[in-house]
Amino acid sequence: MGSCVSTSSRSTCSSGSNGETVSPSCFCGQKRTRRTFSDHVVSLQHLPSIPNRIFMNGKSRTSCIFTQQGRKGINQDAMVVWEDFMSEDAIFCGIFDGHGPHGHLVARKVRDVLPIKLLSFLHSYQSRSNGSNTTCFKGNLKRSDGGDSEKDCSAEDKLNSIWREAFLKSYKAMDKELRSHPNLDCFCSGSTAVTIVKQGSSLFMGYIGDSRAIMGSRDSNDSMMAIQLTVDLKPDLPREAERIKRCKGRVFALQDEPEVPRVWLPFDDAPGLAMARAFGDFCLKEYGVISIPEFSHRLLTDRDQFIVLASDGVWDVLSNEEVVEIVSTAPTRSSAARILVDSAAREWKLKYPTSKMDDCAVVCLFLDGKMDAESDYDEQNFSSATLQSNHSGNAIESDDGQKSEPSLQRNFTVRSSEENDAYGRLPVEVEGNEETIAAEDQNWLGLEGVTRVNSLVQLPRFSEERPNPEIL
């Protein structure tokens, strides 16, 4: 356990890592009444020109996204929103936080390829099920109060099973492709992933690493509250630590950062990965770090307002409640992601003035499907050129990550010895995990953002002279 995983089956729609294609459909076993772009074959070459798919700062019909480079060098965060993902009511959202020498390339590769692999496995299932009575992929499941409750429960379980399998297989295939990629060295580089698909009233989630998703919802008093949708998969979570140690990996924190548990090789004090699951990082895949995602399904209600996905650069300095407050009070919806990143940047400066601020990436998905008028772009400093680049294929990302993603215009000051640890603690509401999350995990430190310098401490040294940091 903990070694690199590979696909057990391959979709008939796949044609290789550089030309993988899939022909998505409604997955309902019924003829569609309207034709959308998602009826066409999707390939990696076509991604930049797909309508309703954005991956740089801007907004879509239902969401806004924003990323800002920190002070560590290349912006290694990536993000995507893909509307009309497989049908007209389906939306894919993802945040990917890279780490290591080639982390920015890994994050972008996962951003582009993982959604296609998910589509491929869903389409493969639909192809096998043609002509038979199968569970509809439409997400408008509602529990009835009558005698059909048992049938509804059975249909929901079947739907969960299909989506769980699709997420597990797509993550597995993604990691396999990274391992065999001829031009991308993922031995000591990797990426987190938090991915969701909203279809109708259903929300399906798969995630690895320490990026997080939360939801802003209204309570019985009509006040906004934060609901954490994912668990930060840190190495000190009991079940994660147990697996890593069983695979001969080591978990401990350095003396100068006792709040940051890391994963280490059994024979070297490297690389010090600050998460228990990730794409890539193949130097640790034989020692307990895995790319198997946690999966959960949630039925949305009218009280649920929006979902926020963000990298740990946000969660390190802002609590779930603070994020919900910032997004819900933003002057316009199209500005919510940018304002949240700006707030995180200010908090980094106040709480950890000498730490190098981490990259921040945010996706805000509004569940009622409404956004601001187009005129709001001018107010939010989103240029028309940037917006066009998300849909016309003119956007170009350079390897150094500097071209399209803004940098902080701030200077460093002295780090304060006092750390604000007044983060709110919320219960995690998760349904349908393949491996039931233990109660102690839900209240563990992994649910809270903790400040760290880097996701990796150093690359492995295959020599006799090795550093020997003090172990707590």
Side-chain angles (χ1 to χ4, degrees), residues 12-120:
T12 56
C13 301
S14 176
S15 62
S17 62
N18 293 325
E20 180 168 353
T21 61
V22 61
S23 178
S25 62
C26 179
F27 302 104
C28 287
Q30 300 174 354
K31 189 174 182 180
R32 303 185 72 180
T33 57
R34 287 196 294 172
R35 184 176 180 85
T36 68
F37 183 88
S38 58
D39 291 303
H40 296 282
V41 172
V42 177
S43 69
L44 289 177
Q45 291 84 351
H46 297 152
L47 276 181
S49 60
I50 291 178
N52 304 320
R53 177 185 178 271
I54 59 173
F55 58 93
M56 294 195 302
N57 296 345
K59 76 169 186 177
S60 65
R61 296 195 309 262
T62 60
S63 65
C64 60
I65 66 177
F66 196 86
T67 184
Q68 182 167 275
Q69 178 185 330
R71 286 291 193 175
K72 297 181 180 181
I74 299 170
N75 188 346
Q76 295 191 306
D77 287 358
M79 56 191 180
V80 67
V81 171
W82 187 344
E83 296 175 344
D84 300 333
F85 175 58
M86 62 184 202
S87 62
E88 292 174 346
D89 66 341
I91 305 172
F92 177 95
C93 301
I95 287 286
F96 313 95
D97 184 358
H99 52 262
H102 308 293
H104 58 298
L105 299 178
V106 179
R108 294 174 191 174
K109 184 69 173 177
V110 176
R111 174 198 67 192
D112 292 343
V113 175
L114 184 61
I116 296 179
K117 290 189 179 295
L118 183 60
L119 277 177
S120 177

Side-chain angles (χ1 to χ4, degrees), residues 190-219:
S191 177
T192 72
V194 55
T195 55
I196 67 170
V197 176
K198 177 188 175 294
Q199 189 179 30
S201 60
S202 282
L203 183 67
F204 305 97
M205 295 167 281
Y207 56 94
I208 56 176
D210 56 2
S211 298
R212 187 187 304 175
I214 69 167
M215 181 165 64
S217 188
R218 296 196 177 276
D219 60 19

